[in-house]
Amino acid sequence: MAAALLVGAIGSGCAAGAGEVPKPAAGRPGLPGGPGHGAQEAQKEAPAGMIAGYADNLRRNQAARAIAAKKWGLSATPLPAPRPPTVKPAITTREGFEVQDSEDLPPIFTTVPTKDKVVFLTIDDGSEKDPELLRMMSELKIPYTAFLSDYVISNNYDYFKKMQDNGVTLNNHTLNHPYLPGLSYDEQKREICGQQDKLQQRYGHRPTLFRPPFGNYNRDTLVAAKECGVKAAPLWASEAFPDHMEWREWDKDMHPGDIILTHFRGPDEWAGSMPDMIRQVMKVITDKGYAVGKLEDYV
């Protein structure tokens, strides 16, 4: 019965590319790298007792999520994410996003190669520090990844420490959020390595993921990022706001492995709060039959 429950649950379950980077051709390019090892592969290899325990834990989490979803005004309970891959998929730069001689540089991508109906929520900069967001995401058990800039988080480092304590990975978005292609190599390296140092000092973690501000980069950006310890540079396939979504792809739709961007913003800049944004984006994700996974489990 537990194994059957597991199978059923799994089955249900800023401008970019500027600077020196050419825009991608119309349409959605093929995703490089093989599909991620999904939950079905993990299930085949797992002992029966492990499957039963996973199913029981999943059932308890979903029951708690259903209560939290009503409390926070979601239109539906978020779907359970598939089990993370046992081997992370190979990540390569998306076609049309390359720089010259980029083979050994951190890949630039908007979608993670996987066949699972899972997407990844990422939040940039750090200017809005809404305590309701921390409570909401913790109670709903929705994973997300933060890309932080020091110039906007420095007035409240403790807010993001609480976020980290809730299991969120804090990643690099530069010290001052500049237009990187307009800077020299040394200036770019100071922006990226300087933020690595700040995050190491404040949170005991030197990130391996980096997102260039506005999605703008050139070869110097990626060379500097690699020198600073960065392994990958995720961009995004869509962007979430409190009242709508904006799509990169021609079909204006969601796809397995898509990375979703949003920002730490509030009513001063948005038509709503951060919880409003989460309600909106989760409605879109859930209505389309997707779950939210943790990006660092795949990259």
Side-chain angles (χ1 to χ4, degrees):
M1 179 65 181
L5 172 63
L6 174 61
V7 174
I10 291 171
S12 65
C14 347
E20 297 183 10
V21 182
K23 293 182 180 179
R28 182 175 182 79
L31 294 176
H37 295 279
Q40 290 78 9
E41 287 82 355
Q43 181 200 353
K44 289 177 184 177
E45 301 174 0
M50 184 182 298
I51 294 173
Y54 176 74
D56 288 342
N57 187 56
L58 179 66
R59 184 171 57 248
R60 287 193 296 271
N61 282 344
Q62 284 302 102
R65 267 183 152 186
I67 295 170
K70 290 182 179 179
K71 170 184 174 179
W72 291 101
L74 271 65
S75 61
T77 303
L79 296 174
R83 297 186 75 177
T86 54
V87 177
K88 294 181 180 181
I91 305 293
T92 56
T93 292
R94 175 174 170 166
E95 183 179 354
F97 285 59
E98 303 94 341
V99 297
Q100 185 177 3
D101 299 325
S102 62
E103 292 79 7
D104 296 325
L105 298 178
I108 295 278
F109 55 102
T110 62
T111 299
V112 173
T114 180
K115 291 183 178 179
D116 291 327
K117 293 197 73 173
V118 60
V119 294
F120 307 100
L121 185 61
T122 64
I123 312 181
D124 278 11
D125 62 52
S127 59
E128 180 74 12
K129 303 163 184 71
D130 188 345
E132 290 290 284
L133 176 73
L134 300 182
R135 288 191 285 270
M136 181 183 198
M137 301 300 270
S138 178
E139 291 178 14
L140 288 168
K141 303 183 187 303
I142 297 174
Y144 61 105
T145 297
F147 289 88
L148 303 178
S149 292
D150 191 68
Y151 85 108
V152 286
I153 72 169
S154 59
N155 64 350
N156 192 347
Y157 287 122
D158 287 347
Y159 177 84
F160 299 97
K161 181 63 171 69
K162 293 174 184 176
M163 188 175 290
Q164 183 186 45
D165 291 343
N166 287 338
V168 177
T169 303
L170 309 181
N171 289 298
N172 190 328
H173 199 43
T174 71
L175 287 171
N176 299 295
H177 205 275
Y179 174 71
L180 289 173
L183 302 181
S184 69
Y185 171 79
D186 288 340
E187 289 169 331
Q188 293 197 51
K189 189 173 180 181
R190 279 195 292 273
E191 281 288 335
I192 300 168
C193 286
Q195 183 64 348
Q196 294 284 82
D197 294 341
K198 288 280 188 180
L199 294 171
Q200 171 76 53
Q201 175 188 357
R202 291 288 175 176
Y203 304 112
H205 168 68
R206 198 166 185 85
T208 58
L209 301 184
F210 161 69
R211 175 171 285 160
F214 316 107
N216 299 138
Y217 60 95
N218 57 18
R219 189 174 190 279
D220 281 349
T221 310
L222 301 183
V223 172
K226 182 179 179 179
E227 287 292 314
C228 299
V230 169
K231 303 299 184 185
L235 296 184
W236 58 91
S238 59
E239 184 170 357
F241 298 87
D243 55 351
H244 71 286
M245 295 284 294
E246 293 184 359
W247 308 92
R248 183 189 296 273
E249 308 301 342
W250 66 272
D251 60 358
K252 300 184 184 302
D253 204 356
M254 199 165 280
H255 313 86
D258 275 357
I259 299 170
I260 301 171
L261 163 71
T262 190
H263 288 84
F264 290 96
R265 297 284 188 271
D268 290 344
E269 300 177 73
W270 270 352
S273 65
M274 295 205 73
D276 291 333
M277 178 275 297
I278 294 298
R279 281 186 278 271
Q280 161 69 15
V281 71
M282 289 308 303
K283 175 173 175 53
V284 175
I285 291 169
T286 306
D287 285 354
K288 290 180 178 291
Y290 284 82
V292 178
K294 186 172 183 177
L295 182 62
E296 291 79 7
D297 286 341
Y298 288 74
V299 178

